[in-house]
Every structure is written in C-alpha cells, then in structure tokens.
Amino acid sequence: MSVDLWYPATGPFDRDSLLDWIVGHAVPGLERTDRETATTVRLLDVGRQVAVAARLEADGVRVRVEELAAPERRRLDELVRRWFDLADDPRVLDEPLGRDVLLADRVRARPGLRVAVHPDGWQAALQTVIGQQVSLAAARTLTGRLVAAFGGDGQGGLRTAPTPEALLDAGEEVVRGAVRLTRARARTLLDLARACADGLRLAPGEDAAAVRERLVAVPGIGPWTVDYLSLRALGERDVFPASDLVLRRAAGIDDARALARRAEAWSPVRARAAGHLWAAAVSSPRAPGG
C-alpha cells in the first residue's frame, strides 16, 4: 500500500526554478519527469531502493511512496528535505546577497529560490563526469545510455544506476563503446568508479576537504567538477564553481579567477549566489510557486 507524505517548505518556495533544474537534469531510465504536473519519479535509497513520486506544489513537496519501516521513513525524510532544500528560509540566507549590486535584482526576482542537492551523489558524479565539455542535453543522453547498458531493473519500470563495481567489471573499452564516450572520458569515469569502490563517498556529512582531495586525485577531474559536486552532491553551502561558463556569463566576468575573487563577498552562502546566477541564466523571473 502507498502513502502520501507532505513536506512543507520553510519560507517562500520557488517551485518553477527548482522544477527547471530537475527537468533539465533528468536522466532517461533513472527518472520520469512531467513539467505539466510538476512531478518527478525516481528511486531513492532508504536502506533499499524504493520508487518515490514527488510533486512540487506552491509551498512544499508532496511525496507518494510505499509504506516504509521507521528507519526507512527517517532516511526518506532526510533525503527529501535536502533534495528540495526545504529546511531553511531563503529570505534569511539571501539577506546579505540582496545588498550586493550584482545579485540584488536576481534575489528580488526569486525570493524562494532553492538550491537542490542531488539525492544520490554517485549518480550526480556519473552525470557530471560524462557531461564534461558537452551540453546538458548530451550529458543526459549519454548517462541514459550508461544506465541502460550497466544499470539494473528497479520498481515501477525505473532503472538503478550502475554500481562502481559493475563499471569496473565491464572495463573501459566496453563502457566506452556502449556509451560512445571519448577514450579520455571513459578512463576518467572508470578511475572515479575505482575511487568510489575503494571507499570514496559523495554525500552530505562526509569530510568535504578529504572528498575534494580524493576527487582532485582522479585524472581528468578538475576544479569545476570538484566544485560542482561539492555543491550538488555534498551539499556544501559556501562553494562557488567559478570556472562554470554559465556563471561567468551570468555574472559578466569572463575570467574564472576574477569571478572567484568577486564571489568571496558572498561567503558563507556562495552556493546560493551560484543558484541565483544559474536560475537567471536559464529562466525568466516568476512568482514563487506560480
């Protein structure tokens, strides 16, 4: 039997910007998204893989899932609140950003902006590495091929992501051929899988400095990937991927080092500054939840 669970957002809730991010990053096989109904369906690991249907509403998120044991429910609550960034009031976090000349208009346009943390850090890493130097649409397609070839069957017709061990067992050439990656990208993907199989965990609560050190040690992973995963997989609040092309264009500062220096003024909420710049770059202002 399934149950409906309600997760209210603290403060205003910019449903549409959050939906833009979810739909834009949805991987075929791993997720089913419907912009019209503001719904996303995917598997979440609550101690086992369960299918979760989440509908974004004007002031929070409604989740439909099978009945869970108490420890599984606690894990689901944690994942959902972090995934949709529901716990904190964005007005409080954005107060210093709203006084910055570069961000003031963006903050006023989206007072309920949320900065999502991917519910599965390994999946986020797969898509991020595969997506290096290609468009977001291409990254979704390539990651979907990886899931189709090396993932598993899950509830509700969804697929599970391939495990690090599954990719290592397949080997670089098989992965490269199935997904149609460059040799360099396939090698980086397998090196990342090896690091994760050896104990690297990409999840909130991990030692962020230690994770960054291990990621940088993977050949083919540079500052942008490390910063992006620190934000979207580890949930770090004071990280800013200054080398990101979209952020540089949105800020009007082409040099990554110059943008990083400019972003120092946005500490300790630089991730929110990045979120506002990204949102402004990909969508027009809308009323929260509208």
Side-chain angles (χ1 to χ4, degrees):
M1 187 174 72
S2 60
V3 294
D4 284 324
L5 305 173
W6 172 242
Y7 296 90
T10 302
F13 185 57
D14 185 352
R15 182 193 68 178
D16 293 306
S17 291
L18 187 55
L19 186 62
D20 284 341
W21 186 82
I22 291 168
V23 172
H25 290 78
V27 174
L30 283 182
E31 301 152 273
R32 292 194 300 270
T33 58
D34 186 332
R35 186 183 291 276
E36 196 69 27
T37 61
T39 301
T40 181
V41 184
R42 62 168 297 127
L43 300 173
L44 291 183
D45 184 358
V46 296
R48 58 190 176 95
Q49 296 281 341
V50 296
V52 172
R55 186 172 76 246
L56 281 64
E57 299 187 0
D59 53 356
V61 178
R62 192 170 302 279
V63 167
R64 189 165 186 81
V65 66
E66 67 181 64
E67 285 198 60
L68 302 173
E72 296 171 337
R73 170 64 190 276
R74 287 193 292 271
R75 175 61 176 160
L76 177 69
D77 292 348
E78 177 187 0
L79 284 171
V80 170
R81 292 191 178 104
R82 189 165 58 229
W83 180 13
F84 299 110
D85 190 17
L86 297 173
D88 295 319
D89 190 331
R91 294 169 298 190
V92 176
L93 299 176
D94 282 346
E95 196 275 333
L97 301 180
R99 299 193 302 268
D100 187 284
V101 64
L102 186 57
L103 294 177
D105 288 346
R106 275 99 167 187
V107 171
R108 280 193 296 270
R110 294 177 177 81
L113 182 83
R114 305 289 163 157
V115 181
V117 175
H118 200 291
D120 189 305
W122 163 242
Q123 291 179 21
L126 286 177
Q127 188 172 1
T128 303
V129 168
I130 287 174
Q132 291 171 339
Q133 299 179 348
V134 301
S135 70
L136 184 55
R140 292 197 305 269
T141 297
L142 294 172
T143 309
R145 290 176 190 162
L146 186 81
V147 169
F150 305 106
D153 294 327
Q155 293 180 355
L158 295 166
R159 298 280 288 172
T160 62
T163 64
E165 293 77 11
L167 296 183
L168 292 170
D169 287 346
E172 181 184 317
E173 289 304 317
V174 172
V175 170
R176 178 171 175 252
V179 184
R180 299 199 283 281
L181 295 172
T182 65
R183 191 174 302 278
R185 196 71 62 242
R187 187 172 297 123
T188 297
L189 194 62
L190 269 291
D191 286 340
L192 175 65
R194 190 168 294 108
C196 289
D198 289 342
L200 173 62
R201 291 189 71 250
L202 302 169
E206 296 295 307
D207 183 326
V211 171
R212 290 177 70 92
E213 184 177 351
R214 292 195 68 179
L215 283 173
V216 168
V218 176
I221 288 184
W224 176 82
T225 301
V226 174
D227 286 341
Y228 187 81
L229 290 177
S230 294
L231 194 161
R232 292 298 191 186
L234 302 185
E236 291 295 293
R237 292 172 177 260
D238 197 27
V239 61
F240 188 90
S243 58
D244 184 89
L245 179 61
V246 175
L247 290 181
R248 286 187 280 129
R249 286 177 174 169
I253 301 174
D254 189 56
D255 181 75
R257 286 175 293 185
L259 181 55
R261 290 193 296 271
R262 179 67 175 85
E264 290 172 5
W266 304 328
S267 183
V269 288
R270 282 179 281 189
R272 289 198 60 79
H276 279 291
L277 291 170
W278 273 323
V282 302
S283 60
S284 58
R286 309 181 190 105

